[in-house]
Amino acid sequence: MKLVIIAGTPGAGKTSILINTIKILKGTITKPAVVKVDCLATDDDKRFATLNIPVLTGLSRDMCPDHFSIYNLDEMIKFADKNSADTLIMETAGLCHRCAPYTDNCLGICVIDSTSGPNNPGKTGPFLSCADIVVVTKGDMISQAEREIFREKILEANPVCKILDINGLNGQGAAELAKHIIAFDKKVTDRERLRHNAPFSVCTLCVGEQRVSKKYHRGLLRNMNGFQKYIGE
Amino acid sequence: MEQIRNIKIIGGIDKSGKHENIKCFDIAQGEIIGIVGPTGSGKSQLIADIEQLSQKDSSTRRQILINGEIPSSELRNNPRQKLVAQLSQNMNFLADMNVKDFLLLHAQCRGKSMKNIDKIIYMANQLTGEPIKPKDNLTILSGGQTRALMVADVAVISESPIVLIDEIENAGIKKHEALELLSGYNKIILIVTHDPVMALSAQKRIIMKNGGMTAVIDASPEEKTISSQLSKVDQTMLKLREMIRNGQHIEEKDINQIFLKPTVNNKMATLIHH
């Protein structure tokens, strides 16, 4: 089973890119299955259903969405297997820019919106810096100069990635992404590891704390001045 | 970057799967080619094929050769060697910076000399009625100023040897001069357009129908004259726009100049050659 993981900021165009790419993949020997993870609600299952391929959606709710995706990876692979797919494409809803959902043997694709400004690639963090392919969307809305600056800033953050410009609305460029997915030849193993670590320690907010005052917080805590300490057992 | 002397489009199939009329079409450095045809006739797909340097692997099965050869994978994949620069009506500057800082950042990203900056602003100001100042914020520029600055920037800083202009009809800039500026830098220019001024400014135009290239027409000498006259109309419209903006009355003599003999913009021509 090939594993393709797609991450990106909300509204960057992950689903649109994916739909255009899958339309092309369907005309090849590839048999794709899609898993879409969202946080609170999704109607993307309806969008994917029109493609006539196996689709599974999951809502992470109270769990961190990237953690949810990784935690359920085995189940997703079983789903793809059962539906005799050979390529599992997983679209995550990763949000915090601090971790990256890619495993060692997946094809990691980061989708980034070029209208988000030239400083954004530097701020996007590991899901851009450890991606294999960076897809730039909405390039038709900004000037050539900004597109070139944006591309340079991506290469500063991730010098080895491939950059593809894709228009999510009309699918221009999606054929190139499909080619990369077809040519990708690593198989997922039962000993997958994440490429990048998540933030350290347990977060008090994650376990339900709502009070703001400093004295209620435990774990790895960092002050505005950069001083960092661990409070807890 | 390798010099692009010409590109060759080898025809594929149209939307009904039939072979295109045009089997092969060469475009040389410095040429301006129009792409015309009704909506849905495949103009954008032709552009997409050129942008992706298709190798019979798109829906049209077209192949694009560079200098007569199949382009290297380096040319197709290296993001720093992007061949095609694009200009379209929907494009805007979104960066929250002033004009000068922005151009400096772009020049720096492309490893270009900083001393070009004032030249770019000067050139842009030849294309639009409302002068751009170096300290103006990019996001407050008018539509015409924005387009003019984009054209000058593509001409001087962007290295892409092929420029694609997509329906830039109502940009509020001197279209003729804009094309002259770009072709003066020896770029290959493809213009997708429904606008007679733009279409007739091209030396040749590709006629699209049902997804295929059906014909290539050379601009006739008569069309060249008409093109210059239309360009005059265009400039008069720009001038009238400025006058109305400045609170002036429009008189008959202001429109009469449309039909005067066209003059060459010497200032522009001198700039290009230096």
Side-chain angles (χ1 to χ4, degrees):
Chain A
M1 181 73 63
K2 277 202 260 192
L3 176 62
V4 178
I5 297 182
I6 301 193
T9 46
K14 296 184 292 295
T15 307
S16 303
I17 298 298
L18 208 44
I19 286 173
N20 281 305
T21 309
I22 289 169
K23 279 184 191 159
I24 297 164
L25 285 177
K26 276 183 65 187
T28 69
I29 48 163
T30 304
K31 291 197 195 72
V34 171
V35 177
K36 166 78 198 233
V37 175
D38 249 317
C39 297
L40 297 175
T42 189
D43 50 11
D44 285 343
D45 44 344
K46 291 185 201 114
R47 290 180 71 189
F48 283 121
T50 57
L51 295 170
N52 265 324
I53 56 160
V55 178
L56 185 67
T57 51
L59 291 180
S60 64
R61 301 266 184 191
D62 290 333
M63 194 173 172
C64 152
D66 276 347
H67 197 174
F68 175 89
S69 311
I70 293 302
Y71 181 67
N72 288 292
L73 191 58
D74 280 345
E75 219 170 304
M76 297 175 188
I77 292 172
K78 271 184 209 140
F79 161 79
D81 250 337
K82 210 172 71 190
N83 284 282
S84 28
D86 57 15
T87 305
L88 171 62
I89 303 176
M90 192 233 287
E91 182 190 336
T92 73
L95 294 172
C96 80
H97 293 201
R98 179 53 187 80
C99 63
Y102 317 125
T103 68
D104 337 316
N105 296 306
C106 82
L107 179 68
I109 301 172
C110 166
V111 180
I112 183 166
D113 172 351
S114 62
T115 65
S116 61
N119 294 327
N120 206 37
K123 292 192 281 193
T124 302
F127 74 78
L128 187 143
S129 61
C130 40
D132 302 300
I133 294 174
V134 176
V135 172
V136 180
T137 58
K138 305 185 195 176
D140 58 330
M141 292 170 71
I142 62 167
S143 61
Q144 180 69 23
E146 276 161 291
R147 275 195 295 281
E148 288 174 6
I149 294 170
F150 202 75
R151 219 179 275 147
E152 268 322 293
K153 297 287 175 189
I154 291 171
L155 289 174
E156 268 174 30
N158 183 345
V160 295
C161 70
K162 290 223 179 325
I163 300 177
L164 303 179
D165 289 297
I166 305 184
N167 181 329
L169 298 180
N170 63 18
Q172 187 175 334
E176 201 60 26
L177 182 61
K179 256 184 248 167
H180 283 286
I181 292 176
I182 295 166
F184 182 70
D185 58 1
K186 279 190 194 160
K187 297 267 186 297
V188 71
T189 66
D190 53 3
R191 280 195 293 273
E192 284 301 290
R193 286 178 61 92
L194 284 174
R195 286 185 201 177
H196 196 279
N197 68 284
F200 302 108
S201 201
V202 174
C203 163
T204 336
L205 298 180
C206 284
V207 295
E209 181 61 75
Q210 286 183 302
R211 288 170 297 185
V212 173
S213 177
K214 272 204 167 117
K215 65 184 174 195
Y216 299 111
H217 296 268
R218 300 287 180 273
L220 187 71
L221 303 167
R222 189 178 166 88
N223 282 300
M224 286 293 287
N225 63 11
F227 182 70
Q228 193 166 283
K229 64 184 169 185
Y230 177 80
I231 297 179
E233 284 178 27
Chain B
M1 190 187 289
E2 194 190 354
Q3 210 193 350
I4 310 292
R5 294 182 303 278
N6 64 65
I7 58 177
K8 188 191 277 288
I9 306 171
I10 298 175
I13 50 174
D14 67 11
K15 281 184 186 167
S16 341
K18 291 199 195 91
H19 286 289
E20 293 183 271
N21 270 351
I22 303 299
K23 304 270 176 281
C24 183
F25 181 55
D26 288 294
I27 309 172
Q29 211 176 22
E31 265 191 311
I32 303 176
I33 307 293
I35 300 173
V36 299
T39 307
S41 59
K43 300 189 292 292
S44 300
Q45 182 57 45
L46 175 60
I47 288 309
D49 284 335
I50 295 169
E51 197 206 349
Q52 314 275 324
L53 301 179
S54 292
Q55 296 303 317
K56 303 186 180 178
D57 48 8
S58 71
S59 60
T60 62
R61 308 266 144 219
R62 287 187 191 117
Q63 187 178 24
I64 311 296
L65 302 183
I66 302 289
N67 298 338
E69 285 168 25
I70 295 172
S72 64
S73 67
E74 176 76 358
L75 213 49
R76 293 189 77 179
N77 294 322
N78 183 342
R80 285 202 173 95
Q81 291 206 355
K82 213 57 180 166
L83 281 178
V84 183
Q86 290 199 38
L87 286 169
S88 92
Q89 197 148 286
N90 305 325
M91 285 174 185
N92 285 299
F93 286 121
L94 296 174
D96 189 10
M97 294 183 208
N98 73 41
V99 171
K100 188 158 189 175
D101 289 347
F102 177 76
L103 292 174
L104 281 171
L105 178 62
H106 188 206
Q108 201 185 350
C109 279
R110 309 288 321 190
K112 285 292 183 83
S113 146
M114 309 290 179
K115 63 174 186 241
N116 284 324
I117 306 303
D118 293 331
K119 188 171 150 195
I120 296 171
I121 298 174
Y122 177 78
M123 283 176 163
N125 282 337
Q126 307 305 304
L127 303 178
T128 173
E130 330 127 85
I132 301 163
K133 292 187 274 313
K135 293 283 174 198
D136 282 346
N137 199 291
L138 276 180
T139 49
I140 60 133
L141 296 183
S142 74
Q145 288 176 320
T146 299
R147 235 54 66 190
L149 191 60
M150 281 181 192
V151 170
D153 172 273
V154 164
V156 181
I157 299 184
S158 295
E159 287 175 358
S160 308
I162 302 167
V163 181
L164 156 67
I165 301 173
D166 197 356
E167 298 187 21
I168 191 168
E169 349 276 55
N170 304 315
I173 58 168
K174 298 174 189 162
K175 297 165 198 163
H176 232 70
E177 280 78 357
L179 289 180
E180 265 175 34
L181 174 59
L182 289 168
S183 64
Y185 277 82
N186 249 331
K187 305 207 183 237
I188 288 175
I189 302 172
L190 291 131
I191 321 168
V192 174
T193 189
H194 301 287
D195 175 7
V197 184
M198 297 288 276
L200 296 181
S201 296
Q203 290 132 1
K204 292 174 191 162
R205 47 189 196 268
I206 302 175
I207 319 295
M208 301 297 299
K209 202 176 173 187
N210 192 33
M213 301 181 283
T214 55
V216 175
I217 296 182
D218 284 293
S220 68
E222 194 179 342
E223 280 174 339
K224 279 176 193 159
T225 317
I226 294 172
S227 163
S228 304
Q229 284 167 340
L230 286 178
S231 166
K232 269 286 177 203
V233 175
D234 223 46
Q235 290 194 22
T236 306
M237 293 298 280
L238 275 179
K239 202 178 149 207
L240 294 181
R241 201 171 84 160
E242 278 314 294
M243 291 171 73
I244 291 170
R245 273 187 182 174
N246 292 331
Q248 286 169 264
H249 272 292
I250 306 298
E251 293 163 28
E252 201 166 349
K253 70 171 170 58
D254 296 321
I255 359 181
N256 280 346
Q257 19 171 285
I258 291 177
F259 305 102
L260 290 179
K261 219 177 146 208
T263 54
V264 183
N265 190 335
N266 287 326
K267 221 174 192 180
M268 209 64 189
T270 336
L271 247 185
I272 290 164
H273 294 298
H274 282 91

